[in-house]
Amino acid sequence: MKNIVLLTGAGISAESGIKTFRDADGLWEGHDVMQVASPQGFAADPELVFDFYNQRRKQLLTVKPNKAHLAITKLQEHFNVTVITQNVDDLHERAGNKNVVHLHGELLKARCTQNETEVLEWTKDLNLGDLSKSKNQLRPHIVWFGEEVPLLKKAAKITETADVLIIIGTSMQVYPAASLVHYVTNGTPIYFIDPNPSIKQSDFNNLTIINKTAVNGLPTLVKDLIDTML
């Protein structure tokens, strides 16, 4: 069975109504990114950071997966599919996407500040005084700027196995996630779905650019792949 790997970013969730964190001016919901998404910001003002992610968590619980998420579930019926996502929402899982690697963490989880392997499911507000099993303060289970991306090596190994790579909802400008495209075997078909693509046809061997949004581009591509690869 063929291996299909998808790299997904904020664009696939935006069409469900999730705000993309970073605005055009570089601010996240009016905050400097380092205030709300760095260890230094958390140390300086943990309540601001908790409030920021509490608002994101509340909004996540009001939205639903869209046709692009559901198209991936359809793809799973015929191929080995792995989703490597930069997104911290759970819309892939809610749509039935089974093999999902969250590079940047998960909004509906919290983790111990002293032991990063101690992770809890968390759907309510997270506040100062909420403690892990080992009695340490909990923090959002999010990979912040300046922190290592622990699942990057796993994602690279998965990408190496791809018979087809689909990039969707990400500008391919955010590193280290953007580096994953370089792990595909030379000649592997790459599909880049974006209404305003930041890369050119000549940038990668065997690249197809689809100038559409996730919801408009992915279901059609999925149908084409099922029709031509089976």
Side-chain angles (χ1 to χ4, degrees):
M1 194 180 283
K2 297 283 190 183
N3 296 322
I4 296 184
V5 177
L6 296 99
L7 305 181
T8 71
I12 194 170
S13 295
E15 291 187 89
S16 284
I18 287 188
K19 296 176 184 175
T20 53
F21 272 19
R22 200 182 304 207
D23 301 322
D25 58 7
L27 296 179
W28 285 16
E29 300 295 311
H31 300 293
D32 180 276
V33 65
M34 299 308 284
Q35 285 183 303
V36 293
S38 73
Q40 296 85 352
F42 184 60
D45 194 345
E47 290 188 334
L48 173 68
V49 174
F50 283 132
D51 181 62
F52 178 81
Y53 290 99
N54 289 342
Q55 297 304 321
R56 308 284 77 68
R57 198 178 296 107
K58 282 175 184 167
Q59 201 222 348
L60 172 55
L61 296 173
T62 69
V63 300
K64 295 178 180 177
N66 59 51
K67 289 179 181 176
H69 297 104
L70 296 171
I72 297 171
T73 305
K74 190 79 175 169
L75 205 58
Q76 283 177 174
E77 296 173 9
H78 305 281
F79 306 102
N80 290 322
V81 176
T82 305
V83 178
I84 300 168
T85 186
Q86 298 172 53
N87 299 337
V88 297
D89 61 67
D90 68 334
L91 294 179
H92 280 300
E93 286 87 349
R94 275 196 256 163
N97 303 169
K98 290 186 171 64
N99 300 316
V100 184
V101 177
H102 285 272
L103 287 178
H104 295 162
E106 298 178 65
L107 192 52
L108 298 184
K109 291 183 178 178
R111 79 167 186 252
C112 177
T113 50
Q114 303 302 314
N115 178 5
E116 64 183 32
T117 65
E118 196 177 327
V119 179
L120 302 173
E121 302 289 332
W122 204 273
T123 56
K124 59 183 189 288
D125 281 359
L126 182 61
N127 298 300
L128 272 176
D130 288 326
L131 303 181
S132 66
K133 291 173 185 174
S134 53
K135 305 302 180 189
N136 295 300
Q137 175 65 48
L138 288 166
R139 55 163 274 184
H141 184 47
I142 304 291
V143 177
W144 287 330
F145 286 91
E147 295 183 323
E148 284 188 25
V149 181
L151 294 178
L152 190 64
K153 283 185 181 177
K154 177 181 178 180
K157 285 188 176 179
I158 292 167
T159 307
E160 285 176 349
T161 71
D163 294 303
V164 174
L165 180 68
I166 302 170
I167 302 168
I168 182 164
T170 173
S171 65
M172 295 305 293
Q173 305 296 313
V174 178
Y175 284 84
S179 66
L180 289 172
V181 69
H182 300 294
Y183 285 89
V184 294
T185 306
N186 194 32
T188 299
I190 301 172
Y191 295 92
F192 185 79
I193 301 175
D194 196 292
N196 301 296
S198 58
I199 59 177
K200 305 186 297 294
Q201 200 84 36
S202 58
D203 286 348
F204 297 97
N205 185 24
N206 212 0
L207 172 68
T208 301
I209 295 176
I210 300 171
N211 289 67
K212 292 183 178 179
T213 64
V215 162
N216 291 322
L218 189 56
T220 303
L221 175 61
V222 165
K223 184 178 184 304
D224 290 345
L225 290 175
I226 292 170
D227 289 345
T228 58
M229 290 178 64
L230 291 179

